[in-house]
């Protein structure tokens, strides 16, 4: 199975900050990667798929990049509603796998 | 509006069985792959199983193969997972999800989860 390793595991930042989360795959997956946001007690929400394509309705401050084994999720200017846990997911091959998550907290 | 409503969760003894259901509405159910994703208390997301729109193809994570069966009834717009031989480590919130953008490889066609239900909690007591 393809393993995904996210870094950092947790991150403290302030409103207005630019934040980058990375996801590294154990083998090349082209751009077949998605990012999700999950708030406490809620279901995850799809943000980005195909490494850089923004899902409908997702604010443009979110962006994704990367291919092969290294990927990034960037939030250009943090808003209060962005404090959550973020997961990457590969759907290049079964079994589908998720990263362990990055918890983004308010500084 | 896409809606996914899970039911069937609860407390079950180790070795027992449970069937979860997910009632779907707001889209042409039979056209889309569907999945179950779980989250143990305080832990991350774990993909469990997926099924194609026709039901003809199914995929499982290794830890549930032979114990869980994903199925669907397209006439009822409902997704199921039959869970047998339950273990303590199966304790989790189980989410039903709709398949969106996908990619096909030699292992099958996998998709992102573009809509999720609210989840149903399964607790396996030891």
């Amino acid at each position: 199975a393809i393993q995904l390793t996210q870094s950092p595991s947790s991150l403290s930042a302030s409103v207005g900050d630019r934040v980058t989360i990375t996801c590294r795959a154990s083998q090349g997956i082209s751009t077949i990667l998605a990012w999700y946001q999950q708030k406490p007690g809620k279901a995850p929400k799809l943000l980005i798929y195909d490494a850089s394509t923004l899902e409908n309705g997702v604010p443009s401050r979110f962006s994704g990049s990367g291919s092969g084994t290294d990927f990034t999720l960037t939030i250009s200017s943090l808003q209060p509603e962005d404090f959550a846990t973020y997961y990457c997911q590969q759907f290049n091959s079964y079994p589908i796998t998720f990263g362990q998550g990055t918890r983004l907290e308010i500084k | 509006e896409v809606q996914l409503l899970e039911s069937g969760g609860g407390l079950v003894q180790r070795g027992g069985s449970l069937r979860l259901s997910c009632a779907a509405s707001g889209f042409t159910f039979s056209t889309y792959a569907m999945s179950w994703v779980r989250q143990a208390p305080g832990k991350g997301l774990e993909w469990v199983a997926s099924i194609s729109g026709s039901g003809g193809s199914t995929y499982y994570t290794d830890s549930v193969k032979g114990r869980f069966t994903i199925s669907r009834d397209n006439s009822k717009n409902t997704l199921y997972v039959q869970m047998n031989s339950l273990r303590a480590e199966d304790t989790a919130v189980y989410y039903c999800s709709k398949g969106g953008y996908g990619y096909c490889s030699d292992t099958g066609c996998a998709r992102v989860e573009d809509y999720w239900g609210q989840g149903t909690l399964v607790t396996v007591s030891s």
Side-chain angles (χ1 to χ4, degrees):
Chain A
I2 297 172
Q3 296 181 21
L4 298 178
T5 304
Q6 290 182 229
S7 60
S9 295
S10 63
L11 174 62
S12 294
S14 302
V15 172
D17 284 354
R18 179 183 180 90
V19 166
T20 297
I21 297 169
T22 66
C23 177
R24 176 163 289 176
S26 59
Q27 64 189 73
I29 57 171
S30 184
T31 60
I32 314 304
L33 185 105
W35 289 96
Y36 297 84
Q37 175 194 67
Q38 187 180 32
K39 296 182 179 179
K42 300 295 185 181
K45 173 187 175 183
L46 176 64
L47 298 176
I48 287 169
Y49 60 91
D50 205 22
S52 61
T53 302
L54 214 59
E55 175 72 345
N56 289 339
V58 174
S60 59
R61 63 181 180 272
F62 290 91
S63 64
S65 66
S67 67
T69 59
D70 294 311
F71 302 87
T72 61
L73 171 69
T74 299
I75 309 171
S76 60
S77 178
L78 273 173
Q79 299 302 301
E81 60 268 29
D82 300 337
F83 292 94
T85 300
Y86 293 85
Y87 295 92
C88 57
Q89 176 207 39
Q90 70 79 23
F91 55 106
N92 179 80
S93 61
Y94 284 108
I96 293 170
T97 49
F98 288 90
Q100 82 280 13
T102 295
R103 185 175 178 183
L104 179 54
E105 301 174 319
I106 300 174
K107 183 182 287 184
Chain B
E1 179 192 5
V2 172
Q3 292 194 350
L4 300 169
L5 184 62
E6 301 96 336
S7 60
L11 178 63
V12 61
Q13 287 192 331
R14 184 178 56 186
S17 298
L18 211 54
R19 188 178 83 157
L20 306 183
S21 301
C22 172
S25 61
F27 63 103
T28 305
F29 183 69
S30 61
T31 304
Y32 293 91
M34 299 291 293
S35 297
W36 290 97
V37 177
R38 68 185 178 184
Q39 187 168 36
K43 303 297 184 182
L45 301 171
E46 181 186 24
W47 170 78
V48 174
S50 296
I51 186 168
S52 62
S54 67
S57 297
T58 57
Y59 310 89
Y60 299 92
T61 192
D62 282 349
S63 63
V64 309
K65 279 181 185 174
R67 300 189 300 122
F68 288 16
T69 302
I70 189 171
S71 63
R72 63 193 297 159
D73 185 337
N74 287 343
S75 69
K76 295 183 178 178
N77 289 352
T78 303
L79 174 73
Y80 305 98
V81 62
Q82 176 68 42
M83 306 185 295
N84 298 330
S85 303
L86 282 162
R87 305 168 180 168
E89 55 265 36
D90 295 318
T91 294
V93 173
Y94 285 73
Y95 293 102
C96 158
S97 62
K98 171 185 167 292
Y101 178 83
Y103 176 77
C104 294
S105 68
D106 56 0
T107 64
C109 293
R111 301 188 178 280
V112 296
E113 331 298 337
D114 61 359
Y115 288 92
W116 298 65
Q118 85 292 346
T120 187
L121 176 62
V122 172
T123 303
V124 183
S125 66
S126 53

